[in-house]
Amino acid sequence: LNKWFEMIYDHRISLRERMFRVVTGISMVVLSIILLMGRNPVNLMILAVSLICLAAIVKISIRKECINAGATIIAVLLLLIFPVSFITAGGFYSGVPEWFVLCFVYLSITLEGRRKAGFFLICIIETLLCYYFAFHFPQYVKHNTEGHYFFCSAVSVILVGVLTSILLLFVTRLYEKENELSKQQKK
């Protein structure tokens, strides 16, 4: 963990790579939480495979210096996993809808240009389709008790707020350090 923090604040590593590491690290925490919300063996298997894939993607994309490709692959992975979690955790009667916000944040920070716009549009469409599916085909969505729904929703709102705040604190700190370095170099 200390080595990870050192890399995040190492100005010799590109800012883009450091932000990619931070956002992907937080995305791994997010995946762990939302897949556990589904409470079934399939979700646990998806979680294990996803975390292994994410770690491999990060390592390979950094080693081969293709951060944009790595971020794109992770975005695809997130967009595949979120609907599964949405349906298996209880649709909009779960805490999963709040987590879609972090998918938008991930896309905003890691992707660039037309790719960002395209994935943003896909994320919007996917969110709408998940809601449409849960509304029109409720028999295929896991049912939760009202108490479980309120608990999961409250926990999700708090965790999304905390994780988004942590992410923004890291990104702000990275920019501040880069700005300080730039000022020192100018002097």
Side-chain angles (χ1 to χ4, degrees), residues 14-187:
S14 75
L15 181 61
R16 180 140 172 76
E17 179 181 322
R18 290 183 283 155
M19 287 176 52
F20 174 68
R21 287 176 189 246
V22 169
V23 177
T24 304
I26 289 184
S27 295
M28 292 172 87
V29 172
V30 168
L31 281 180
S32 299
I33 295 167
I34 68 163
L35 287 171
L36 291 173
M37 290 174 83
R39 303 179 315 275
N40 69 44
V42 173
N43 280 38
L44 294 177
M45 185 182 71
I46 291 170
L47 172 61
V49 170
S50 298
L51 292 177
I52 291 167
C53 288
L54 280 174
I57 292 165
V58 168
K59 189 171 189 166
I60 292 167
S61 61
I62 289 172
R63 192 174 281 162
K64 299 222 180 235
E65 297 181 11
C66 51
I67 302 285
N68 209 27
T72 303
I73 294 167
I74 291 172
V76 169
L77 185 64
L78 291 175
L79 290 171
L80 292 173
I81 292 171
F82 272 63
V84 171
S85 183
F86 181 81
I87 291 167
T88 61
F92 34 72
Y93 297 110
S94 69
V96 175
E98 291 85 347
W99 294 101
F100 277 93
V101 172
L102 282 177
C103 193
F104 285 104
V105 171
Y106 182 85
L107 299 173
S108 297
I109 293 175
T110 61
L111 299 178
E112 296 176 325
R114 289 183 182 174
R115 192 175 292 191
K116 181 188 296 193
F119 272 92
F120 225 78
L121 182 61
I122 291 169
C123 195
I124 289 168
I125 292 168
E126 178 180 85
T127 303
L128 292 172
L129 286 173
C130 283
Y131 273 76
Y132 178 86
F133 182 82
F135 182 78
H136 289 287
F137 304 101
Q139 66 272 21
Y140 298 112
V141 178
K142 182 174 179 6
H143 295 283
N144 286 323
T145 63
E146 190 174 341
H148 186 264
Y149 160 64
F150 282 107
F151 174 76
C152 284
S153 182
V155 168
S156 292
V157 167
I158 291 166
L159 288 174
V160 167
V162 167
L163 289 172
T164 304
S165 297
I166 289 169
L167 177 63
L168 291 173
L169 288 171
F170 265 114
V171 170
T172 302
R173 182 83 171 121
L174 288 174
Y175 277 116
E176 287 172 352
K177 283 196 171 263
E178 287 299 308
N179 196 19
E180 287 173 22
L181 182 63
S182 178
K183 286 179 182 177
Q184 289 175 355
Q185 288 174 341
K186 284 181 183 178
K187 284 183 182 179

